[in-house]
Amino acid sequence: MDIWSTLSDTFLDWESMKAVLPEMLKVGLVNTLILAAASVVLGTVLGMIVAVLALSSKPWLRWPAKIYTDIFRGLPAILTILLIGQGLSPITRHWWGPNPYPLGILALSLIAAAYIGEIFRSGIQSVEEGQLEAARALGFSYTSGMRLVVIPQGVRRVLPALVNQFIALVKESSLVYFLGLLASQRELFRIGQDAAATNGNLSPLLLAGLFYLIITVPLTHLVNHFDKRLREGRPTEKEDVKLEELAHANH
């Protein structure tokens, strides 16, 4: 058996890739980005609410947030998507018909909110207590001090983790295909899978994988950039002058 020929027929069928490329660009890529972006926006809003509740001094606010976080972080993503997508379908059918797309976004958002809530909570708790005390000394109420001073600093510190969560959502958006999306709603994985089944090789799925990498790899480097900036801080003006002097000296 010619191993290279077999691998080439399985993964590098250029004609199969060329045939599915327009649909991946026009349908799959757009739907993948819509699913991920909508989920991260809704998940961020819900996550901030969960974080604020989890930090409350009142147990009747704190415990529901902890239970919510434990449940949605503890369940497999595919199980949550199926439970919400298929379980709530009879109820939401009256609003937008049998369309599973909104329920897919809702399921991804609820999963993301559990993780983003923990990210926000850790970021807010990392802000020094003196920041809130200083705000209170300047006349801010507790709520205003948290909203205008503490939370913005906490959010800034967790930007790398938030971008990581967006990367995870891009990949998890492929699980929504279990809900049976319409042809115009298919994301990258579903289009690749359908084309692979039609053509009898895995080249379309390999192409779908390349699209995912095109999205996630730059975001990964963006995370590293944010992380480095937060760890090292921006160079001071004095350091900039020194760097310029060193640059001129090298020339």
Side-chain angles (χ1 to χ4, degrees), residues 18-245:
K18 186 178 176 183
V20 78
L21 180 60
E23 193 171 17
M24 281 202 176
L25 282 171
K26 294 178 182 176
V27 181
L29 181 60
V30 173
N31 282 322
T32 295
L33 291 177
I34 289 175
L35 284 168
S39 302
V40 81
V41 170
L42 186 55
T44 299
V45 174
L46 293 174
M48 179 56 77
I49 294 172
V50 171
V52 171
L53 293 178
L55 291 170
S56 172
S57 59
K58 300 173 181 174
W60 62 275
L61 291 176
R62 192 171 62 247
W63 277 104
K66 289 182 179 298
I67 292 171
Y68 172 87
T69 302
D70 287 343
I71 289 175
F72 281 94
R73 290 180 71 188
L75 291 175
I78 182 59
L79 179 60
T80 304
I81 290 171
L82 285 175
L83 286 175
I84 293 174
Q86 296 183 354
L88 298 183
S89 180
I91 301 172
T92 59
R93 190 184 299 269
H94 301 290
W95 300 332
W96 51 66
N99 183 1
Y101 205 78
L103 287 175
I105 292 175
L106 176 63
L108 289 174
S109 303
L110 292 175
I111 296 168
Y115 289 93
I116 292 175
E118 283 296 283
I119 292 170
F120 280 145
R121 184 186 61 76
S122 62
I124 293 169
Q125 285 184 322
S126 72
V127 178
E128 297 77 11
E129 291 183 6
Q131 294 290 320
L132 181 59
E133 293 171 359
R136 297 297 300 272
L138 291 173
F140 287 86
S141 65
Y142 175 82
T143 304
S144 298
M146 287 293 290
R147 183 169 57 86
L148 299 175
V149 178
V150 177
I151 290 178
Q153 291 186 60
V155 171
R156 181 175 173 272
R157 294 179 182 186
V158 297
L159 277 178
L162 288 175
V163 179
N164 265 334
Q165 189 57 42
F166 182 71
I167 293 172
L169 280 171
V170 170
K171 293 184 286 187
E172 288 177 353
S173 66
S174 63
L175 298 174
V176 175
Y177 96 96
F178 280 104
L179 299 180
L181 299 173
L182 303 175
S184 60
Q185 297 172 333
R186 293 179 300 167
E187 31 63 51
L188 288 169
F189 173 72
R190 180 59 188 271
I191 290 177
Q193 188 193 40
D194 288 349
T198 302
N199 297 315
N201 63 69
L202 299 179
S203 301
L205 276 175
L206 181 65
L207 182 62
L210 292 176
F211 272 103
Y212 281 111
L213 291 177
I214 289 171
I215 300 171
T216 58
V217 169
L219 288 174
T220 303
H221 287 284
L222 184 64
V223 170
N224 295 336
H225 172 72
F226 279 144
D227 190 49
K228 184 178 179 182
R229 287 285 297 270
L230 290 174
R231 279 189 288 106
E232 298 179 358
R234 296 187 62 177
T236 62
E237 193 173 328
K238 192 174 180 181
E239 288 172 340
D240 285 337
V241 172
K242 284 184 179 178
L243 288 173
E244 288 180 6
E245 289 175 353

